[in-house]
Amino acid sequence: MSQRIFVNLGEVYFGQGEVQVETLLGSCVAITLWHPTLRLGGLCHFVLPVRPHRQPPPAPHAELDGRYGEDALLRLLQEVREHDTQVSDYVVKVFGGGRILGLAGSRTPIGQANVDFALTMLRRQQIQIMAKDVAGEGYRYLRFDVHSGDVWVRHGHAGRQELEKLTARAQP
């Protein structure tokens, strides 16, 4: 029987074995990495692309904050290095960034800003994206099987009350 782990916003999971990692995405973005030979993988779930300008950057050697795409991707890449692997050996997929509840940023809706950030950062790191399911309307419920590398996505369009119920049910 496989273990199920729920990744909340701002969290990063990386591991191996019979594990199914789940998360619920609205305007947030998740990036999955999967090593097909070692059956090793990870997922990050970030809320905003970068830290707000008024928040100071992390001190050297401070723990990275997975709520921000910049830090979340760095945490995944740290895991890749700590497992003596190369990111080029991983299958990379990107999900989320939907428009929900009519939320929008000042110029670009936050979901689209998260998607743009993830795709740009992965390109800058020369990381090939094998699949993506991004933007659009509504939320996504994501399940990532670390052993097989399969990712399942269920789309939904929820009002605030329904989304709060789904979030409550998804908590471990």
Side-chain angles (χ1 to χ4, degrees):
M1 174 172 289
S2 65
Q3 178 185 10
R4 291 173 75 171
I5 296 173
F6 190 84
V7 173
N8 290 299
L9 56 89
E11 293 181 344
V12 175
Y13 169 84
F14 202 91
Q16 193 169 27
E18 301 275 336
V19 178
Q20 291 192 354
V21 183
E22 301 174 352
T23 197
L24 181 65
L25 302 167
S27 58
C28 299
V29 165
I31 300 171
T32 64
L33 300 180
W34 183 66
H35 195 292
T37 306
L38 300 176
R39 299 188 182 280
L40 169 74
L43 176 146
C44 69
H45 176 160
F46 67 87
V47 182
L48 295 171
V50 295
R51 294 170 184 276
H53 296 295
R54 63 186 176 280
Q55 188 180 47
H61 307 295
E63 186 172 328
L64 296 169
D65 188 339
R67 294 177 297 171
Y68 307 107
E70 204 168 34
D71 288 9
L73 182 56
L74 286 174
R75 285 181 59 191
L76 278 179
L77 295 176
Q78 281 177 345
E79 290 288 346
V80 166
R81 284 190 300 278
E82 288 174 13
H83 285 85
D84 293 322
T85 57
Q86 301 294 316
V87 74
S88 59
D89 294 333
Y90 286 77
V91 174
V92 179
K93 301 176 182 178
V94 181
F95 304 91
R99 286 184 305 272
I100 60 166
L101 308 175
L103 298 176
S106 58
R107 294 186 192 148
T108 304
I110 191 62
Q112 188 62 53
N114 283 334
V115 169
D116 293 346
F117 173 82
L119 300 179
T120 299
M121 286 305 293
L122 290 167
R123 261 193 304 274
R124 279 189 192 151
Q125 296 280 333
Q126 299 179 340
I127 298 171
Q128 183 178 2
I129 300 166
M130 298 303 289
K132 63 184 175 182
D133 181 11
V134 296
E137 296 288 333
Y139 66 89
R140 289 168 174 85
Y141 184 81
L142 184 87
R143 180 178 291 160
F144 169 41
D145 185 320
V146 174
H147 186 71
S148 70
D150 292 334
V151 180
W152 297 274
V153 178
R154 184 174 67 218
H155 290 258
H157 299 279
R160 183 177 304 277
Q161 288 179 334
E162 185 180 343
L163 191 58
E164 288 170 358
K165 287 178 191 173
L166 282 168
T167 304
R169 273 188 293 204
Q171 300 301 316

